[in-house]
Amino acid sequence: MDGRRRGRRPAAKARDEHRNGLVNERFPTSRPAAARRPFDGERLTLARRLRGLRKNQLAQAVGTTPAAIGRFEAGIARPPDPVPARLAVALGVPAEFFGGAAGPPRALDSAHFRSLRATTQIERDQALAYGRIAADVVAALEEVVEFPAVTLPERPVPPDEIGGPGPADAARRARAALCPSPGPVPHVVRLLEAGGVIVVVLPPVAERVDAFSVGAHPRPLVLFNPAKGDYWRNRFDGAHELGHLVMHADAEPGEKIVEDQAQRFAAEFLMPADEIAGELPAFADWDRLAALKARWGVSLAALLYRARTLGVMPEPVYRAAMAGMARQGMRRREPGPARPLEGPTMLTRAIEMSGLDRDALAVRAGVPRPDLDLLVPVR
C-alpha cells in the first residue's frame, strides 16, 4: 500500500502543477507541438486588461490560480496545454494572439486621465488596452498609408505653475499652428486629425473613463468617451487633451494643477480672450449666452467660466449663475437642441485607402477583429 502511495505522489503532484498552471518538466505535456507554440506573457496581460478582468477572475474562468496567471504574464512560466486555448476562449481572442505582437510593445503609461480617483485601476487599464490596440492598428496601416505629419507645437509648462501665463500662451501657439483663422474652431476632432493625432472613440465597456490622451510615439492619441453624448462637452474635452499634448510631455498625469492648466488651455483655444471678452455678459444674460454658445460651440458653463476668469463677470455673479444652473438641472443637460458629436474619420479612411480587408488588417496588426471593428466602425 505504501509503495503504491509513493508511486502515485509524483503523478498527483504533476496534475496539481498542471492545474495550477505550472510546467512540470519531469512530466512534459503529451502534445509537444502545442508546447512549442510561442506564448508572450505581455500579450496575455493586454488581453486580460482589454476585457477588464482581474487575475483571479481569469484564473477562475480557466481553472488555474491567480498566482499562475501572474507567472504566465511575467514570462516566468509558460501555460501548459490546454490552458492557452482556455485563455483564448475566456478572453475572446484567437489563440494566435498570444504568439507575440506584430511590432514592438508600445508603452502608454504616460496617459493623462482626467481624475485618477473617479475610475478604478482596472478601468484605466482597460481603456489603455484599447489605446494599445489602436496604436497597433495605426502601426500596421502606416506601412501602406501615409498619415498626416504630426504638427503639434510644443510649449512645455511647468507642472507647478499656478495661475501663470503658460497655458494661454501655449493655446495661442497651438491655434496659430493648427487653426490660424480667427473666430470659433469649426471642428475640434478634424483639427486634431489634421495635426497628425489619432482620435478614437472608446467602446461602451470603458464608458466610466473620461477622455484622455497619450503622447505615444510616433503618434499621439486622444481617446474620447461618447457616453455623455454632449457635443459641447466633447469639443472642450478635445481641446483639453490637446493642451496636455502641447504642454505636458513630462508632467505627472492626473495632478490637479496639470488638469487646471489643460482647462485654461482649452478655454483660450476655443474662446480666445482678445476675441470673446467684448462679447461676454457681466451678468447671467441667458439669451446672450445661448447665442454665444451656438456661435462658439462651447457650453453655457464654459462661457460663464470664461466670463469669470477674464474678469468680465464678478465672482459672486458667476457663483449664483452656476448655482442656478445646478438647481434647474442644467449642469447635467443644458437647454437647447442637441447636436451630433464630432466623430473621427481618419482611421476609417486609412483602412479604406489601404486596400486591406479588415480580416487581413487585424492579422497584420495582431489585434482581434471584433476589437478592430469596435474602435474603427465600418461605415
Side-chain angles (χ1 to χ4, degrees):
M1 182 177 287
D2 289 339
R4 285 199 299 275
R5 281 201 192 103
R6 281 195 297 272
R8 290 171 58 186
R9 275 177 189 156
K13 186 175 181 180
R15 285 196 298 273
D16 289 344
E17 288 176 337
H18 274 272
R19 188 166 59 245
N20 293 335
L22 295 170
V23 176
N24 190 317
E25 294 180 356
R26 293 172 297 163
F27 296 87
T29 174
S30 60
R31 301 181 187 181
R36 288 195 299 270
R37 188 179 298 152
F39 190 93
D40 184 340
E42 188 269 340
R43 300 284 284 175
L44 174 58
T45 304
L46 174 61
R48 180 177 60 78
R49 290 178 174 176
L50 203 57
R51 304 300 171 233
L53 294 177
R54 300 180 188 278
K55 290 188 181 77
N56 65 324
Q57 294 171 310
L58 179 58
Q60 186 175 13
V62 302
T64 186
T65 66
I69 296 293
R71 287 191 288 272
F72 302 155
E73 293 189 1
I76 297 171
R78 184 196 185 286
D81 193 50
V83 175
R86 293 176 187 166
L87 290 169
V89 171
L91 294 169
V93 298
E96 295 76 15
F97 184 85
F98 302 122
R106 295 167 181 84
L108 304 182
D109 52 2
S110 60
H112 284 280
F113 287 101
R114 197 67 55 86
S115 172
L116 299 182
R117 288 174 299 181
T119 53
T120 66
Q121 185 63 51
I122 288 286
E123 290 168 328
R124 293 195 295 275
D125 285 344
Q126 185 177 30
L128 283 174
Y130 277 108
R132 164 67 188 280
I133 291 291
D136 287 346
V137 171
V138 171
L141 287 170
E142 295 243 36
E143 296 175 3
V144 290
V145 175
E146 186 174 353
F147 282 82
V150 178
T151 56
L152 300 188
E154 287 189 61
R155 195 335 190 154
V157 175
D160 57 352
E161 179 184 303
I162 302 174
D169 181 58
R172 285 191 286 272
R173 291 193 192 190
R175 267 196 79 115
L178 302 174
C179 182
S181 301
V185 175
H187 200 294
V188 175
V189 169
R190 199 165 294 157
L191 207 65
L192 289 167
E193 292 187 326
V197 179
I198 302 300
V199 181
V200 173
V201 177
L202 287 167
V205 292
E207 66 181 10
R208 273 173 47 86
V209 175
D210 219 327
F212 69 98
S213 55
V214 187
H217 296 288
R219 290 185 175 278
L221 299 170
V222 169
L223 294 98
F224 279 106
N225 178 354
K228 298 180 177 64
D230 189 314
Y231 165 86
W232 293 272
R233 177 171 175 162
N234 251 45
R235 278 170 55 86
F236 203 90
D237 284 348
H240 177 107
E241 300 308 326
L242 174 62
H244 283 311
L245 296 174
V246 171
M247 299 186 292
H248 298 143
D250 297 319
E252 187 70 24
E255 292 291 328
K256 188 175 185 304
I257 297 173
V258 168
E259 290 302 307
D260 179 67
Q261 290 174 348
Q263 288 293 89
R264 289 192 286 136
F265 175 100
E268 176 65 25
F269 188 81
L270 293 174
M271 301 169 279
D274 60 356
E275 295 184 45
I276 202 170
E279 301 181 23
L280 292 167
F283 60 94
D285 180 344
W286 296 112
D287 289 340
R288 178 67 180 155
L289 289 166
L292 291 173
K293 174 179 176 176
R295 168 168 155 68
W296 288 90
V298 293
S299 67
L300 296 176
L303 287 162
L304 289 170
Y305 170 83
R306 194 62 171 148
R308 184 199 65 168
T309 55
L310 291 178
V312 175
M313 182 175 288
E315 180 74 20
V317 176
Y318 166 76
R319 290 186 180 278
M322 293 299 290
M325 288 187 69
R327 282 196 303 275
Q328 298 177 54
M330 293 164 60
R331 297 296 304 276
R332 293 190 301 274
R333 185 175 182 81
E334 294 193 358
R339 288 190 189 181
L341 302 181
E342 293 182 352
T345 59
M346 187 163 70
L347 274 184
T348 302
R349 283 188 287 119
I351 293 174
E352 293 168 353
M353 292 171 61
S354 71
L356 298 169
D357 69 43
R358 285 181 169 249
D359 287 330
L361 175 59
V363 171
R364 190 171 186 143
V367 305
R369 168 66 194 270
D371 293 300
L372 168 64
D373 290 343
L374 265 180
L375 286 175
V376 194
V378 179
R379 64 177 175 181

